[in-house]
Amino acid sequence: MQLLDLIIIYHSRTNGTGQMATAAFDAAKLHSQNVKIYNAEKIDFSDDFENDFLNAKSFIFACPENLATMSGEMKAFFDKFFYKAVDKIQARPYAVMICAGSDGENTARQINRIVTAWKLKLVAEPLIIKTNSQTPEQILSPKVISESDLQKCCEIAESLVLGVNMGIF
């Protein structure tokens, strides 16, 4: 089985995080064909997914901030898969991307606390893209992430793929 250079696990309600994860995936694919992306809401937790996840060299976890926490679907991913990965993926690099209305820090802390038990190595400060959505209408509306913010997502993915292939991570 060929190891994946990068696996991206994401969830998106209004497509902000979806745009971020897709940009990261597309950028990573420029440097490696061994990259996969999974929507946390649609993961079937089959042997194929388990093999992909457990054999990935690096990870990006991306989700929206909902009520100062990660989305329920992202939390459900961690709840369902957490113990399958304990003591199996330690020391591998990861990054976090958050699409937030105004803050995002608590969501990043939550993800970082969870993956600490997997003994992963954070290799970049969490990327928090703020949409400044504050009213119910703004919060629920589809998001458009700026090109400059999408470029930041690309840079994280490229850094992970190139770093693992160069032996930096």
Side-chain angles (χ1 to χ4, degrees):
M1 167 175 293
Q2 189 166 13
L3 296 179
L4 292 177
D5 291 326
L6 173 65
I7 190 167
I8 300 169
I9 308 294
Y10 80 98
H11 177 255
S12 189
R13 289 195 195 285
T14 59
N15 201 33
T17 309
Q19 292 168 66
M20 294 165 63
T22 300
F25 176 74
D26 291 345
K29 292 289 280 185
L30 295 174
H31 303 283
S32 172
Q33 293 305 304
N34 299 318
V35 178
K36 288 198 177 178
I37 185 170
Y38 286 93
N39 183 330
E41 190 172 21
K42 298 177 181 175
I43 294 173
D44 64 6
F45 296 98
S46 65
D47 289 343
D48 288 339
F49 171 76
E50 184 172 337
N51 287 331
D52 284 347
F53 192 85
L54 296 179
N55 291 298
K57 295 178 189 175
S58 66
F59 308 87
I60 292 176
F61 302 104
C63 70
E65 174 190 59
N66 295 139
L67 303 172
T69 187
M70 75 178 86
S71 65
E73 291 82 356
M74 193 69 174
K75 175 69 166 62
F77 159 74
F78 286 119
D79 288 343
K80 291 176 186 174
F81 202 72
F82 181 80
Y83 292 103
K84 289 189 183 236
V86 169
D87 296 328
K88 295 179 182 168
I89 59 172
Q90 58 270 20
R92 297 180 199 174
Y94 81 99
V96 175
M97 299 188 313
I98 308 296
C99 185
S102 60
D103 186 283
E105 296 291 335
N106 192 50
T107 301
R109 275 192 300 278
Q110 286 179 313
I111 292 172
N112 288 335
R113 274 198 336 248
I114 290 168
V115 302
T116 294
W118 281 342
K119 300 178 181 100
L120 297 179
K121 182 172 61 173
L122 183 65
V123 296
E125 287 297 315
L127 175 61
I128 300 172
I129 305 298
K130 297 177 184 174
T131 64
N132 299 311
S133 300
Q134 296 301 307
T135 67
E137 295 79 18
Q138 291 171 331
I139 292 166
L140 296 172
S141 69
K143 305 299 182 280
V144 176
I145 306 301
S146 72
E147 286 301 317
S148 63
D149 284 337
L150 292 175
Q151 183 58 39
K152 294 173 188 173
C153 301
C154 295
E155 291 166 4
I156 286 175
E158 290 171 334
S159 295
L160 279 167
V161 168
L162 294 172
V164 297
N165 286 325
M166 294 172 63
I168 295 171
F169 304 127

